[in-house]
Amino acid sequence: QQQVKQSPQSLIVQKGGISIINCAYENTAFDYFPWYQQFPGKGPALLIAIRPDVSEKKEGRFTISFNKSAKQFSLHIMDSQPGDSATYFCAASGAGAGSYQLTFGKGTKLSVIP
Amino acid sequence: DAGVTQSPTHLIKTRGQQVTLRCSPKSGHDTVSWYQQALGQGPQFIFQYYEEEERQRGNFPDRFSGHQFPNYSSELNVNALLLGDSALYLCASTPRAQETQYFGPGTRLLVL
């Protein structure tokens, strides 16, 4: 059972555009939602994370929007750059409910073209 | 400050063999988690170690086992390797009393 569904599978955006990646979750015990960026041959690197008591969090060009009632959250990358080309994963965990594991989406391969 | 380190970086084994992968967490981190990432997929949780005990385990068979040492470093052991065990094995460490997981570069395992 996939508990975190991520879309789209791949995304092509022009330089300077906005990249939007969406995730939906099923387990209401999840209370921590990080996004990771992964380049080929490397481990995932934490980008930004949010908790359900906040509807939006911004760090530089990266923004997470969170909709608790819809059980959805999304990553927006403003002014996308070719260096942002990577695979992005949303994830969720519920440490508050005793579940420490991160459950990942299947990933979105972002390509930013000049 | 060194990040999470893993060794070896690459490994080739044959079916039926056993393998040990190693992880050193970031300084100040006391929890280590292991994940398996198949090609083109998201990481899948194997287990997490805290205070030298397995705190939580994902849906992996008993062929996968681990250990955490007093210095918080950890090992992942896989017995009776199968072709399907070929993957990138990721270690993540977590700071004391927090939940953010920081990943290492991974060990690429190929089973022939």
Side-chain angles (χ1 to χ4, degrees):
Chain A
Q1 179 188 6
Q2 183 189 358
Q3 295 191 50
V4 178
K5 294 184 179 180
Q6 184 172 346
S7 63
Q9 186 175 355
S10 62
L11 182 61
I12 300 174
V13 173
Q14 286 218 310
K15 179 182 176 182
I18 303 174
S19 303
I20 302 174
I21 304 171
N22 300 300
C23 284
Y25 63 97
E26 300 166 5
N27 188 345
T28 55
F30 287 149
D31 60 6
Y32 175 69
F33 303 88
W35 284 89
Y36 285 86
Q37 178 191 58
Q38 187 175 30
F39 293 102
K42 306 291 185 183
L46 178 69
L47 268 179
I48 187 172
I50 199 168
R51 295 191 183 278
D53 55 346
V54 176
S55 61
E56 186 174 283
K57 183 175 181 181
K58 183 177 180 179
E59 288 186 3
R61 296 185 294 109
F62 301 93
T63 300
I64 300 180
S65 297
F66 190 87
N67 186 330
K68 186 176 181 179
S69 60
K71 294 188 287 185
Q72 295 176 347
F73 58 111
S74 60
L75 175 70
H76 294 227
I77 306 174
M78 312 300 287
D79 187 26
S80 299
Q81 300 296 312
D84 297 330
S85 298
T87 300
Y88 293 81
F89 293 95
C90 62
S93 69
S99 176
Y100 304 96
Q101 69 181 67
L102 284 172
T103 299
F104 283 84
K106 291 190 173 183
T108 296
K109 186 175 182 180
L110 172 65
S111 298
V112 181
I113 54 177
Chain B
D1 178 27
V4 179
T5 59
Q6 293 186 242
S7 63
T9 55
H10 296 83
L11 205 51
I12 300 175
K13 292 286 188 178
T14 56
R15 280 179 300 174
Q17 285 190 312
Q18 177 263 345
V19 68
T20 297
L21 311 181
R22 296 176 175 80
C23 172
S24 292
K26 291 181 71 167
S27 176
H29 292 200
D30 62 355
T31 301
V32 173
S33 305
W34 286 92
Y35 292 81
Q36 180 194 67
Q37 186 177 23
L39 205 59
Q41 300 294 317
Q44 297 288 316
F45 177 77
I46 303 174
F47 40 55
Q48 184 181 87
Y49 277 84
Y50 172 70
E51 293 188 341
E52 302 179 51
E53 297 284 336
E54 182 183 289
R55 175 155 73 173
Q56 188 171 14
R57 187 179 184 90
N59 189 25
F60 278 80
D62 292 344
R63 299 187 296 110
F64 290 77
S65 63
H67 189 78
Q68 186 178 34
F69 299 94
N71 68 351
Y72 307 118
S73 67
S74 177
E75 288 182 350
L76 164 65
N77 299 292
V78 186
N79 293 323
L81 285 167
L82 303 174
L83 296 180
D85 294 333
S86 296
L88 179 67
Y89 287 85
L90 296 162
C91 168
S93 69
T94 302
R96 232 165 250 122
Q98 297 181 35
E99 64 185 311
T100 300
Q101 297 188 23
Y102 297 88
F103 285 83
T107 294
R108 175 73 64 184
L109 172 65
L110 178 61
V111 182
L112 301 177

